Amino acid sequence: MSLQRLLRVRAPTRQFLRSSVGPSRLRWSSGVSYPLQLASVTPQHAALYKESLVNPARFWGDLARSKLHWMEDFTQTMDCDMSGDRLKWFLGGKINVSVNLLDRHVETDPTKVALIWERDEPEDHQIITYQELLDETCRLGNLLKRDGVRKGDRVAIYMPVSPVAVAAMLACARIGAVHNVVFAGFSAESLRARIIDGGVSVVMTADEGVRGGRGIPLKSVVDDAVEGVESVRRVFVATRTGSKVNMDPVRDVPLEQAMSSESRVCPPEALDSEDSLFMLYTSGSTGRPKGLVHTQAGYLLYAALTQQYAFDYHPERGDVFACVADIGWITGHSYVVYGPLCNGGTTVLFESVPTYPNPGRYWEMVERLKVTHFYTAPTAIRMLLKFGDSWVSKYDRSSLRTLGCVGEPLNDEAWLWYNNVVGEDRCTVVDTWWQTETGGIMISPRPSPDDSTPKPGLPMTPFFGIEPALVSPETGRVLEGPNVSGHLCIQRPWPGMARTIHGDHDKFINTYYRPYPGLYFSGDGARRDAEGHYQITGRVDDVINVKGHRIGTAELESCVDQNESIAETAVVGYPHDTFGEAIYAFMVPMEGVAVDEEELVADIQASIRKKIGSFAVPQRYLIVPGLPKTRSGKIMRRILKKISADQPEELGDTSTLADPAVVQLILTKHSDKYVS
Ligand code: WTA
């Protein structure tokens, strides 16, 4: 079947944007465009998926022209190889992401609700229209420009989930600055590291955050983070709670006050498709967190398409999309901000926590806001199911149609509760696999090639244009056919792929493209079944996934090792009922040092809170006489993982270790402490 027949083809419509854009800056694409209207989920997706692989340049090119507004048409859809060095999309095109998210929707309906801010305070939401969000974005863009922020400059955003934080992201996009959002739960030292590594000149924050009724002193964290950091010349401080904070008379500026005198019109910068849009730090298996870089057009197209098709999202029907992730993570970037707003939808900004003021919070919100699409992490589902069904059933959830999940494997029990109790067995459960690096959803039950009914864990199918490969770690060969497990790689480029690691392109190549030449390596394992569906089995590297947050063992170990009484540490993840994985620290004390375990653990916890953030504090600790190592000195984490998962029978051959006796000692200590 031809692409034209699969996609309903409309005549191109010419639209002109509002005065804020400045007509002289806009030149509409002179190339032939085929605005595509992909129908919602249909069995035709199998043919469409095939088409996306057979003729990717045409597939993505057509979608980019119909889905996005260009200031100048691109001349080439893609120029990529899978060595990681040439990853370019929509070459020669000029675009402004904020125009795509705001101006064009304001043109059709300025009163349409863009954001619903579900504040921490229970039953208290605020509505922000597309016009209001555009006005705020322009004011902020003008303020940043007046302050000397130029195209390519990095701006750190350390703010609560709030409309002003979204406006800050989009203001950067409007003027071509690169935002670097740091989750407002990270400590001062983590924030400082991200500011220094990113070469940030301006920080945007708030006086305080509030989560679960508790204040979080954001401004004072920023004060500690930027102390002595010369690159930072300005800190803008928004008001969230109105609490008193220290203001440096030269560096710090109250945000709302400064914005109020700025114009609501800010001409959008015409940016190259491949100019950076944002950087976002994520943990890997080695060293410090890395700042992954995403660029303008490809990321935007991919976030918007996946939001529309993986979730079957219809803004024209008034769908309300509630992705409850924090904007400090990629899920918040793609499915709170960029995807839904590019599609002209209504997106919920969830500032609170799932159990505040009680475990019915999400479902009360669903009833009040008439949420149609709900997207969360398995850990939240597992936590809520423990509180019982009545917290869910007392609220009307008839508005819900799609229930999404991301971040870690969704176990059967959680899937069934989500589907049967929350979704009353009439919603579609969409478990989505993707990563900070991929920009958007890669594998999910929708769009489905065969329209089969999703069941726990399966079927997971690749999105348009995505061709997964499972590779044998032993031979490095791609495993063909059904019923195989291996390292999950991606064989061909897609528009949402990260382009580099800020300041360290070699690391980018080494991490993602060198392990299996010609493929993108995800760091996850997966299985393919007889029907070609995928099931994700978890990380295959030294990354622990706690409550859907990625934490590198190397980061944690270096943090624990800094304790004076500790000679050496190994940190591993072990299965946890609610968190998915929890963290276990095995610590070897310095020779001749008598340690008080309680004191030591308290010290270590305090230092992890300070250096990384509370979410990275290990759940279990064991003082051990030594670590299992190979003769060449490499720590055998595999053995520690088996011990911590209470699977001593699966330890395998330990005789090749430098000191096999140490395993028995660790096992005994572990059993005494943690096995009842
Ligand atoms: C894990 C979050 C199983 C995986 C968007 C991946 C998942 C890491 C799933 C990325 C899923 C994400 N099933 N595991 N549906 N989705 N993961 O960068 O290990 O914060 O590599 O991006 O989360 O986490 P990140």
Side-chain angles (χ1 to χ4, degrees), residues 406-409 431-436 524 536 539 545 550:
V406 62
E408 353 135 37
D431 177 14
T432 62
W433 175 80
W434 61 291
Q435 312 177 290
T436 305
D524 280 308
I536 312 299
R539 299 291 306 192
N545 201 330
R550 277 164 69 165

Side-chain angles (χ1 to χ4, degrees), residues 302-345:
Y302 199 70
L305 282 176
T306 47
Q307 196 251 343
Q308 187 177 353
Y309 294 106
F311 296 107
D312 193 22
Y313 181 71
H314 291 268
E316 74 287 356
R317 286 190 207 152
D319 286 356
V320 175
F321 197 83
C323 166
V324 291
D326 195 286
I327 50 159
W329 310 112
I330 191 71
T331 310
H333 282 55
S334 300
Y335 301 112
V336 176
V337 181
Y338 287 105
L341 294 179
C342 187
N343 288 326

Side-chain angles (χ1 to χ4, degrees), residues 144-187:
L144 291 176
K145 278 203 294 197
R146 182 182 307 281
D147 206 64
V149 177
R150 299 281 169 261
K151 185 183 155 196
D153 289 355
R154 269 86 57 204
V155 173
I157 299 176
Y158 186 73
M159 291 180 125
V161 177
S162 54
V164 68
V166 176
M169 293 164 79
L170 302 190
C172 291
R174 195 155 192 94
I175 67 171
V178 178
H179 62 69
N180 176 357
V181 183
V182 180
F183 169 56
F186 275 113
S187 67

Side-chain angles (χ1 to χ4, degrees), residues 186-408:
F186 275 113
S187 67
E189 284 194 33
S190 285
L191 175 60
R192 183 186 182 86
R194 285 157 172 76
I195 286 172
I196 294 172
D197 184 80
V200 162
S201 53
V202 170
V203 180
M204 308 186 80
T205 189
D207 49 2
E208 272 193 311
V210 256
R211 291 194 90 205
R214 289 213 334 258
I216 308 159
L218 300 184
K219 172 61 167 60
S220 86
V221 174
V222 170
D223 287 342
D224 291 346
V226 303
E227 205 197 324
V229 180
E230 278 176 14
S231 67
V232 176
R233 54 182 169 71
R234 179 73 64 234
V235 176
F236 288 109
V237 187
T239 303
R240 172 61 180 90
T241 63
S243 77
K244 204 167 156 29
V245 292
N246 287 331
M247 293 292 276
D248 179 303
V250 179
R251 188 196 63 196
D252 300 345
V253 170
L255 185 66
E256 289 82 357
Q257 202 182 319
M259 276 169 75
S260 63
S261 53
E262 294 294 340
S263 162
R264 294 191 298 132
V265 176
C266 175
E269 198 71 33
L271 298 163
D272 285 344
S273 300
E274 283 299 334
D275 280 336
S276 299
L277 175 62
F278 66 85
M279 49 195 292
L280 187 60
Y281 283 83
T282 190
S283 293
S285 51
T286 55
R288 304 172 74 90
K290 10 182 223 259
L292 286 152
V293 176
H294 282 283
T295 55
Q296 312 275 332
Y299 168 79
L300 183 64
L301 177 68
Y302 199 70
L305 282 176
T306 47
Q307 196 251 343
Q308 187 177 353
Y309 294 106
F311 296 107
D312 193 22
Y313 181 71
H314 291 268
E316 74 287 356
R317 286 190 207 152
D319 286 356
V320 175
F321 197 83
C323 166
V324 291
D326 195 286
I327 50 159
W329 310 112
I330 191 71
T331 310
H333 282 55
S334 300
Y335 301 112
V336 176
V337 181
Y338 287 105
L341 294 179
C342 187
N343 288 326
T346 296
T347 181
V348 173
L349 300 176
F350 184 74
E351 189 187 29
S352 194
V353 293
T355 47
Y356 180 71
N358 58 52
R361 175 66 185 250
Y362 281 157
W363 324 119
E364 185 277 322
M365 174 183 85
V366 165
E367 176 181 303
R368 183 164 32 87
L369 305 183
K370 307 253 176 306
V371 169
T372 52
H373 294 66
F374 186 78
Y375 192 29
T376 188
T379 188
I381 297 168
R382 286 192 298 263
M383 180 178 67
L384 291 175
L385 74 79
K386 296 207 169 107
F387 289 98
D389 301 356
S390 62
W391 284 110
V392 186
S393 54
K394 70 200 253 193
Y395 298 106
D396 176 8
R397 283 124 36 242
S398 54
S399 58
L400 284 174
R401 284 210 325 273
T402 306
L403 299 172
C405 229
V406 62
E408 353 135 37

Side-chain angles (χ1 to χ4, degrees), residues 12-16 26-35 61 64-66 68-75 93-94:
T13 48
R14 248 167 201 271
Q15 291 184 37
F16 294 98
L26 282 171
R27 257 207 301 126
W28 285 96
S29 142
S30 54
V32 186
S33 72
Y34 317 48
R65 288 199 174 95
S66 64
L68 303 181
H69 278 194
W70 293 87
M71 291 167 161
E72 245 171 68
D73 191 19
F74 50 91
T75 49
K94 296 270 186 210

